[in-house]
Amino acid sequence: MNADRTRATTDRRLLDSDDARLAAGNTLSDVQQPAYDLPALVAGSLSAAHRTVLDLGCGDGAHLRRLRSERPEAVTIGVDSELGALEDLPPPVLCASAAQLPIKAASVDAVLAVHTLHHLPDIDTALAEVVRVLDPNGILIASTSAEDDRRELDDLWQAAAADVLGTEQGPRRTRPSDHFPLEAGTARLREYFAEVTVQELAGSITVEDPAPVVEHLGSYRVWAAQTGVPFDETVHRARERLDAAIASAGAFTITTRQGIIRAEDPGGGD
């Protein structure tokens, strides 16, 4: 992966700079079937033995607050590299890099990395740190998207971009999870943990009105600028393609596939 592509998949200043992108993404997620309560699934992966929990890359604390509510008996520590994200969160929180955690070795029962690992510029260093701070009986719970998650959206964007550019195929959109997709990420964790299992979260999004999809495509403005794709023209062409697809089939369906990865026995990997 080249430097520009790596930066695009890990730099949260790029990923999170467009509030409309986040809102549009939630619009599509709201109509996904089945609907998965990811914070609840993550909390349910913990047992009573997990008394000290590290929420790595906690951001604004949405998952952290939920976990503290559902597991009040545990000491849950929020960790993020951006101080601003932690300002409104009650302690304990730490402003620290995942590559250098100010935590004693073997002192944590569980580490959570909910859609976090793909943001990190050096995943292997971070995983080595996770293994260091985890108790020998500890667990890492991570989540990420599969390579083919929402592939219909990528296909739509590429086809619309190709029409606008007059090329056979438009550029593929860079996605944050490309840096740590479900399949490759699972294999990577087996280098650090002896036991790794996956709970796959598959579903679909079906729309009869193109508006939610067009709103979601608004999140691609940064990617379009990076790849030289005329943004407004491409979104307009995508809308035309959506109208045609819905008129023909009655709906436009997007398949979704994410997963929760449980990694146990730290330090016992391949």
Side-chain angles (χ1 to χ4, degrees):
M1 180 180 292
N2 62 41
D4 289 341
R5 188 175 177 82
T6 299
R7 179 170 179 266
T9 58
T10 60
D11 190 339
R12 290 197 297 183
R13 290 172 299 176
L14 290 177
L15 297 175
D16 296 342
S17 62
D18 189 347
D19 290 340
R21 180 189 66 78
L22 297 176
N26 290 338
T27 299
L28 281 182
S29 297
D30 287 345
V31 294
Q32 176 179 314
Q33 293 295 330
Y36 295 103
D37 187 341
L38 185 58
L41 290 172
V42 170
S45 297
L46 300 174
S47 71
H50 301 130
R51 297 179 297 273
T52 304
V53 181
L54 201 67
D55 187 0
L56 193 62
C58 65
D60 64 4
H63 290 275
L64 183 66
R65 291 187 180 92
R66 179 74 174 274
L67 185 62
R68 286 175 174 175
S69 174
E70 298 196 8
R71 293 290 308 279
E73 74 281 4
V75 176
T76 306
I77 305 167
V79 179
D80 202 278
S81 61
E82 297 183 13
L83 182 60
L86 303 172
E87 289 181 347
D88 296 326
L89 296 180
V93 294
L94 290 171
C95 183
S97 165
Q100 192 173 9
L101 297 170
I103 296 173
K104 292 181 180 179
S107 63
V108 175
D109 298 311
V111 174
L112 310 182
V114 181
H115 286 285
T116 294
L117 292 175
H118 58 250
H119 288 299
L120 304 179
D122 189 342
I123 293 175
D124 288 308
T125 299
L127 289 176
E129 273 291 87
V130 168
V131 169
R132 182 186 68 80
V133 303
L134 273 175
D135 179 87
N137 295 315
I139 183 173
L140 167 67
I141 301 175
S143 66
T144 189
S145 300
E147 290 184 356
D148 60 354
D149 179 57
R150 301 190 181 194
R151 64 181 182 273
E152 292 84 2
L153 287 176
D154 291 328
D155 292 345
L156 174 65
W157 177 259
Q158 282 186 275
D163 291 344
V164 171
L165 294 171
T167 58
E168 183 175 344
Q169 186 177 37
R172 180 181 180 275
R173 183 178 69 96
T174 303
R175 301 185 302 167
S177 58
D178 288 346
H179 199 43
F180 190 82
L182 185 61
E183 295 82 358
T186 300
R188 199 166 185 174
L189 289 179
R190 290 196 173 102
E191 299 175 13
Y192 296 88
F193 296 85
E195 184 178 349
V196 180
T197 57
V198 177
Q199 179 183 2
E200 190 167 304
L201 309 176
S204 64
I205 299 168
T206 300
V207 297
E208 298 178 0
D209 181 343
V213 177
V214 174
E215 289 175 11
H216 177 82
L217 294 180
S219 70
Y220 293 11
R221 186 179 295 275
V222 171
W223 315 120
Q226 291 175 338
T227 54
V229 175
F231 175 75
D232 292 327
E233 294 90 333
T234 301
V235 171
H236 178 74
R237 179 57 182 146
R239 173 63 185 257
E240 293 178 336
R241 281 181 164 271
L242 277 168
D243 287 339
I246 292 173
S248 174
F252 182 74
T253 299
I254 303 161
T255 55
T256 63
R257 194 160 71 89
Q258 301 183 357
I260 298 174
I261 311 173
R262 294 173 52 96
E264 302 173 79
D265 193 359
D270 297 338

